[in-house]
Amino acid sequence: MSISLRRIVTLLILAAAVAAALWVFYQSGSNRGEGIAGRIAAGMPAPEFEATTLDGQKVRLKDYQGQTVLINFWASWCKPCVREMPLLNEVHTASDSGVRTLFINVGESKGTVSEFMKAQKFSFPVSIDVTGKISTAYEVTALPATFILDKAGYIRNAQLGEITDFALLEQWLAEAEHSKF
């Protein structure tokens, strides 16, 4: 290989490395201007939102200050979402649990969600994120996505994908209940 060809290859590799570094910097959220530095992760304050449940009640995250909260993003067409729902419904219905549950359906119609809830016999309140504003704030890139917040409103766990281990979920909830960020 000639010296000039080596220089061209070296420059191309260097340019690719710079381009990759810039892409990683951009993807990390540094240039988004959303007020959230980097990816949503444990230890960060949970993004505030307001939504309306299927039965018309307003839900504001700030109203849950001082309580442990489980937020679950889901859709009826998502098989892993449907598989984990009985487990999450158990958290919702547990009488001795101080955990509040917020279920956010991503992008489906009110009719579709209502029919699904009736067919599955779930009683938990559901809000629909029709515009994607809430799921975008939480940087949800796939479903299901679950966030566990401590009493101070900080994210303790962020789980992308199906939760299959009830004992592990209980552990995360207990840690959030007793956390001190």
Side-chain angles (χ1 to χ4, degrees), residues 103-120:
F103 292 88
I104 312 292
N105 177 276
V106 180
E108 294 183 286
S109 72
K110 184 176 181 177
T112 299
V113 175
S114 294
E115 287 178 26
F116 174 81
M117 295 297 288
K118 285 179 193 169
Q120 299 296 321

Side-chain angles (χ1 to χ4, degrees), residues 48 60-69 98-100 149-154 176-179:
E48 180 58 46
R60 291 179 295 270
L61 184 59
K62 67 182 174 186
D63 293 342
Y64 293 85
Q65 190 74 20
Q67 300 174 63
T68 302
V69 179
V99 176
R100 300 292 169 235
L149 315 182
D150 66 16
K151 292 178 180 182
Y154 285 84
E177 182 77 15
H178 301 97
S179 72

Side-chain angles (χ1 to χ4, degrees), residues 121-139:
K121 297 183 172 104
F122 291 130
S123 62
F124 51 78
V126 174
S127 298
I128 301 175
D129 185 20
V130 177
T131 63
K133 186 176 178 181
I134 303 169
S135 56
T136 298
Y138 280 79
E139 299 183 13

Side-chain angles (χ1 to χ4, degrees), residues 7-30:
R7 283 186 182 167
I8 291 172
V9 170
T10 303
L11 287 173
L12 286 173
I13 291 171
L14 183 60
V18 169
L22 288 173
W23 183 81
V24 167
F25 179 75
Y26 177 75
Q27 291 298 318
S28 72
S30 299

Side-chain angles (χ1 to χ4, degrees), residues 32-45:
R32 287 189 199 161
E34 296 174 349
I36 300 172
R39 293 279 178 210
I40 296 292
M44 297 179 68

